[in-house]
Amino acid sequence: MSTLVIVESPTKARTIRNYLPRDYRVEASMGHVRDLPQSATEIPANVKGEKWAQLGVNVDADFEPLYVVPKDKKKVVTQLKDALKEADELILATDEDREGESISWHLYQLLKPKVPTKRMVFHEITSDAIKKALKNCRNIDEQLVRAQETRRILDRLVGYTLSPLLWKKIAWGLSAGRVQSVAVRVLVSRERQRRAFRQGSYWDLKATLTPPDSLKGESFMSQLVTLGGTRLANGGDFDPATGKIPPDSKVILLNQEQAEALKERLTGKTWKVTDIEERPVTRKPAPPFTTSTLQQESNRKLRLSARDTMRIAQNLYEQGYITYMRTDSVHLSEQAIAAARDCVEKLYGKNYLSPQPKQYTTKSKGAQEAHEAIRPAGSTFRTPQETGLSGREFQVYDLIWKRTVASQMADSRQTQIIVQLLVEDAGFRSSGKRIDFPGFLRAYVEGSDDPEAALEDQEVILPNLKVGDSPNCSDLEAIGHETQPPARYTEATLVKTLESEGIGRPSTYASIIGTIIDKGYAQLVSNALIPTFTAFAVTELLEKHFPDVVDPSFTSKMEQTLDDIATGEAAWLPYLKTFYLGDKGLETLVKEQENQIDANVARTVELENLDAKVRIGKYGAYIEKENGDDVVTASIPKDLTPADLDPQKVETLLRQKTVGPEQVGRHPETGEPIYVLIGPYGPYVQLGDKTEENPKPKQASLPKGVTPENVTLEQAVGLLSLPRTLGVHPATGAQIQANLGRFGPYVVHNQSGEKDYRSLKAGDDILTISLERALELLSEPKKGRSTTNSKSKAALRELGSHPEDSEPVNIYNGPYGPYIKHGKTNARIPEGVSVDDVTLASALEWLASKASTAKSTRKTTSKSRSSNSKSTTKSSSTTAKKNNRTKNSERASP
């Protein structure tokens, strides 16, 4: 008897194969094998003429989805069907969450097995887990499938109904999404707060004190907190909307002059310790990781995006290193607790072990998915060093291992020490912290890579002072402070906010954040998600005309309903009918609102305190202002954020259009004027005027730190002279140049067309860097950059040469994940397939599919589409109705 086992990916198949008997054959489905059509080319000819075909859901036939097998999955399906012919039993062993359940159901519908079929689920890929799962197979969970299908249909209805409206009213290519649009609104709301923020300033004193002569100890810091018994103002006392302290606040606000005068008055006076308070504090370890907390901590510690974190975690799971990584649960099995406690005892000693095993309770809204937290796999935990992992995989495993082990360690015991001091009528405070027993902090400190260093950083040791002691003041300094606007969201804080609000599910956050960036709704700058002007325009339109779509509470209730469908507590069809077709349903609202939305208004971003309009155009955001009888426009630089666009910047951008660009001076050799201008990509200098004889005058971007206000003539001349030839490489005889590029200043070694680049470092000047310094930089190992320009970086894998032109076929890591490249053709790697599993044959197939799709798309005309629709409308209507009746009857499960 032979058994066919189907999983999602070749890596998972390879790992599972090690734990199954020899007569078990394991194959991979490469992720989903069926889905709603992604493009018009995927819509079957028999339904192309139907009005619902583009939507992919027949809303008039009980929301029957139109499932198709994507072109790149047809060969996989054929191979699985061939494998099934030789099997006496079929086991569907896809992941245990809703997506995995759905993949198993689609496989069952496509393969139509005539042999006994079972559903096998497991939380980790270990020998014990697989053997246990084989003995406890079940049927496909219809409720989970229906919940996933309802979620998929709902997302399609929102996206495909609202996105075309955004194309018409704002700009082509935009998209709306059930969770995506709410997440964008969260970013926009924070940017609005930053825009409305008004800065306030305050001063205080900081003293450096040393213990009395009779005591030993290091110097310590003390902060001014009261004056004449009244509390001193701090940042929290300011109204962010005015930048001032409310009149009824009972605090003292010092300006610079007052602070300096107080400093002079207190200098040389006697200090006295008036009170000492010691308070014991106990800190408990954080629970093991869920999908959300892993994404947050990975972003904070490793600077990994949510998408990269999930991709790496997926690889670790499929290779058998960790348990399933899509989970809302913080629960640990008894086996896992025993393994973690064993690690603690062996590595740290019994005194670091918690007295009793610690179990954690899930608190997030609508917790579901897998039944255990993310942890190292197995009944014993391999230390990170024992895994043989490297790079990012090692770092993520190390994070998971430490967090899991720390969860079973003893609490940290600390003592907070507050010392109050008085000098004349000025009250000062010194704060200290003593770690009496580090406990779990010995293994894991949130936000720190090195627990030992973090422990040292956390301790603030004060001298052994007593009330009445008189420490010596070695330095007294007046310090000015400015209040800060609310911080922008990072991926970590956005994920935390979405989860706390019950918006979406953690397993989808990676793709949601990726889409927000891909669609131009946010830029990721220094780990901060900065919404664009386009995000403002889309959010304003949705808030005004479709408020429920971007209402967090509405979206949260929707999420709860989807969870209720999964448990059978809610009916899916009535919910979809009400949401889409009801009197206040989405389809009805779009029809009502479309004619009421003025495209000119929709493309205009409302920003207070500006006498110019910000509009969204074909090439991005721009400023528009009336100038007499004319209208003046100017592009907004891509690095200028909505919160930072103020009247002064508007005036600067428009002035170069009305008055002309500002002249820095004249070139010392040619006598031509040199201008400083601001374009879509930021400020730059230009040599000479743009004329018919000189349509493309020489231009050069200003480097980081140089602004249009402070650029000098000497700098401008130097920038316009780039690239600078520094000399030749002593080993190759090839030229070495210095230049300024998209990612900043760099040096390049050009040898026979092969260019080797290195970025300049802090302290290096593009205009003065020497050949010796350039050679030093070029001798250092090259650091990779996440960019789509594969020519300037090393391939993840080299698959071989293309049989047609002998050009290389390689895998590169791009900003949206790994992809295959041959010449100018890029092809994505299908979901569920890891980089290590890609072969040259499969790569050639995906490249060919991508090339043929692009070719057919270019050839397709609206005329041919129209004729196809007319010829098939009548027959397809009848066929569709027949399909609708039969598809529901196909829901029989094994």
Side-chain angles (χ1 to χ4, degrees), residues 379-664:
S379 56
T380 58
F381 292 169
R382 285 172 284 186
T383 65
Q385 291 73 24
E386 290 171 340
T387 60
L389 294 168
S390 61
R392 292 301 197 189
E393 286 190 343
F394 175 88
Q395 290 178 308
V396 172
Y397 180 85
D398 182 62
L399 208 59
I400 294 167
W401 183 89
K402 284 178 178 175
R403 178 91 163 211
T404 309
V405 169
S407 73
Q408 295 303 312
M409 293 179 73
D411 297 344
S412 169
R413 298 192 302 275
Q414 306 171 8
T415 299
Q416 298 278 4
I417 306 164
I418 304 295
V419 177
Q420 304 286 357
L421 303 104
L422 194 65
V423 49
E424 292 201 339
D425 62 342
F428 283 73
R429 177 190 296 148
S430 297
S431 300
K433 185 200 293 185
R434 184 175 67 243
I435 297 178
D436 303 311
F437 176 66
F440 73 91
L441 294 176
R442 183 64 70 195
Y444 183 85
V445 179
E446 280 190 290
S448 172
D449 292 324
D450 184 353
E452 293 292 336
L455 282 176
E456 293 177 11
D457 291 343
Q458 289 195 358
E459 274 203 313
V460 180
I461 304 299
L462 295 177
N464 191 22
L465 297 168
K466 295 181 180 63
V467 174
D469 281 348
S470 294
N472 303 306
C473 181
S474 60
D475 185 48
L476 189 59
E477 186 180 4
I479 298 178
H481 307 271
E482 292 179 334
T483 57
Q484 298 299 312
R488 290 188 173 103
Y489 284 97
T490 63
E491 288 200 30
T493 55
L494 180 60
V495 164
K496 186 176 183 179
T497 300
L498 294 176
E499 185 181 36
S500 66
E501 294 286 340
I503 300 167
R505 283 290 169 258
S507 58
T508 65
Y509 292 158
S511 62
I512 289 165
I513 294 173
T515 300
I516 288 172
I517 296 171
D518 297 349
K519 291 293 182 180
Y521 290 132
Q523 299 180 71
L524 187 61
V525 180
S526 300
N527 209 38
L529 288 164
I530 305 176
T532 61
F533 290 98
T534 302
F536 270 67
V538 169
T539 298
E540 286 172 7
L541 184 150
L542 294 177
E543 285 175 332
K544 183 176 180 180
H545 298 279
F546 308 97
D548 282 350
V549 172
V550 288
D551 182 355
S553 62
F554 180 84
T555 307
S556 178
K557 289 175 185 174
M558 186 187 299
E559 208 67 59
Q560 184 58 55
T561 302
L562 290 170
D563 289 342
D564 292 342
I565 291 169
T567 58
E569 297 174 46
W572 67 277
L573 187 55
Y575 178 71
L576 284 179
K577 284 183 175 178
T578 302
F579 173 80
Y580 194 70
L581 299 175
D583 293 338
K584 295 182 180 179
L586 185 61
E587 184 184 50
T588 307
L589 281 174
V590 170
K591 288 177 180 177
E592 290 175 354
Q593 296 291 319
E594 184 168 354
N595 292 331
Q596 298 179 28
I597 301 173
D598 185 322
N600 284 328
V601 174
R603 293 190 188 104
T604 304
V605 179
E606 296 292 338
L607 296 176
E608 62 281 348
N609 304 324
L610 289 185
D611 58 356
K613 294 177 180 177
V614 175
R615 296 193 189 276
I616 307 301
K618 186 176 179 181
Y619 303 107
Y622 64 93
I623 296 167
E624 179 182 288
K625 186 177 180 182
E626 293 182 2
N627 183 32
D629 296 332
D630 297 326
V631 173
V632 185
T633 63
S635 296
I636 298 176
K638 296 189 183 300
D639 61 351
L640 181 55
T641 69
D644 297 329
L645 183 63
D646 56 27
Q648 184 180 353
K649 291 186 175 67
V650 169
E651 183 184 351
T652 301
L653 291 170
L654 293 174
R655 189 170 59 239
Q656 68 184 35
K657 289 293 189 78
T658 55
V659 180
E662 184 178 343
Q663 187 172 314
V664 181

Side-chain angles (χ1 to χ4, degrees), residues 64-84:
E64 186 65 38
L66 173 64
Y67 288 123
V68 298
V69 178
K71 190 172 182 179
D72 61 351
K73 292 297 177 70
K74 288 182 178 178
K75 186 175 179 180
V76 173
V77 172
T78 301
Q79 291 170 343
L80 293 175
K81 286 181 176 179
D82 291 341
L84 184 59

Side-chain angles (χ1 to χ4, degrees), residues 804-850:
E804 293 180 4
D805 57 12
S806 298
E807 288 293 311
V809 177
N810 296 336
I811 301 177
Y812 293 95
N813 192 23
Y816 315 124
Y819 65 95
I820 301 161
K821 184 173 183 67
H822 165 243
K824 294 184 178 180
T825 304
N826 296 344
R828 69 178 181 86
I829 296 176
E831 181 185 359
V833 182
S834 74
V835 170
D836 295 334
D837 294 319
V838 178
T839 64
L840 178 60
S842 60
L844 293 175
E845 183 182 340
W846 296 327
L847 286 165
S849 175
K850 176 67 181 291

Side-chain angles (χ1 to χ4, degrees), residues 199-482:
Q199 195 173 69
S201 62
Y202 60 99
W203 284 73
D204 58 20
L205 300 183
K206 184 172 76 172
T208 302
L209 305 176
T210 57
D213 297 337
S214 59
L215 283 178
K216 292 182 179 180
E218 300 291 331
S219 61
F220 60 101
M221 298 298 171
S222 200
Q223 196 86 22
L224 176 67
V225 290
T226 63
L227 192 60
T230 303
R231 185 173 65 84
L232 212 65
N234 58 41
D237 295 310
F238 287 80
D239 182 346
T242 63
K244 299 182 182 301
I245 293 178
D248 57 346
S249 296
K250 296 179 180 179
V251 294
I252 292 177
L253 177 63
L254 295 181
N255 58 29
Q256 182 177 4
E257 185 179 350
Q258 292 167 330
E260 295 285 358
L262 180 61
K263 171 190 169 182
E264 293 301 320
R265 177 163 71 86
L266 299 181
T267 299
K269 298 299 189 294
T270 302
W271 291 66
K272 286 285 184 185
V273 175
T274 59
D275 186 53
I276 298 176
E277 179 189 357
E278 291 197 5
R279 183 165 53 90
V281 176
T282 300
R283 282 187 59 189
K284 298 180 180 297
F289 280 130
T290 61
T291 301
S292 166
T293 54
L294 175 62
Q295 290 174 3
Q296 292 173 50
E297 189 71 343
S298 179
N299 183 250
R300 281 194 296 260
K301 279 192 176 183
L302 308 178
R303 286 294 186 262
L304 284 175
S305 68
R307 185 150 43 181
D308 284 343
T309 298
M310 294 308 292
R311 177 176 56 80
I312 294 165
Q314 177 88 37
N315 290 342
L316 291 172
Y317 164 67
E318 292 180 351
Q319 295 175 73
Y321 289 107
I322 64 170
T323 54
Y324 193 54
M325 66 289 154
R326 292 189 178 92
T327 174
D328 293 330
S329 174
V330 292
H331 175 78
L332 285 178
S333 65
E334 290 184 8
Q335 180 192 66
I337 290 174
R341 293 178 70 81
D342 183 60
C343 283
V344 175
E345 190 168 343
K346 287 180 178 176
L347 295 172
Y348 302 102
K350 281 189 176 181
N351 58 326
Y352 278 91
L353 198 59
S354 65
Q356 299 296 326
K358 292 189 176 184
Q359 191 55 272
Y360 297 85
T361 304
T362 302
K363 296 179 181 178
S364 63
K365 293 182 181 180
Q368 44 89 24
E369 307 291 2
H371 64 275
E372 196 174 359
I374 304 170
R375 62 168 178 85
S379 56
T380 58
F381 292 169
R382 285 172 284 186
T383 65
Q385 291 73 24
E386 290 171 340
T387 60
L389 294 168
S390 61
R392 292 301 197 189
E393 286 190 343
F394 175 88
Q395 290 178 308
V396 172
Y397 180 85
D398 182 62
L399 208 59
I400 294 167
W401 183 89
K402 284 178 178 175
R403 178 91 163 211
T404 309
V405 169
S407 73
Q408 295 303 312
M409 293 179 73
D411 297 344
S412 169
R413 298 192 302 275
Q414 306 171 8
T415 299
Q416 298 278 4
I417 306 164
I418 304 295
V419 177
Q420 304 286 357
L421 303 104
L422 194 65
V423 49
E424 292 201 339
D425 62 342
F428 283 73
R429 177 190 296 148
S430 297
S431 300
K433 185 200 293 185
R434 184 175 67 243
I435 297 178
D436 303 311
F437 176 66
F440 73 91
L441 294 176
R442 183 64 70 195
Y444 183 85
V445 179
E446 280 190 290
S448 172
D449 292 324
D450 184 353
E452 293 292 336
L455 282 176
E456 293 177 11
D457 291 343
Q458 289 195 358
E459 274 203 313
V460 180
I461 304 299
L462 295 177
N464 191 22
L465 297 168
K466 295 181 180 63
V467 174
D469 281 348
S470 294
N472 303 306
C473 181
S474 60
D475 185 48
L476 189 59
E477 186 180 4
I479 298 178
H481 307 271
E482 292 179 334

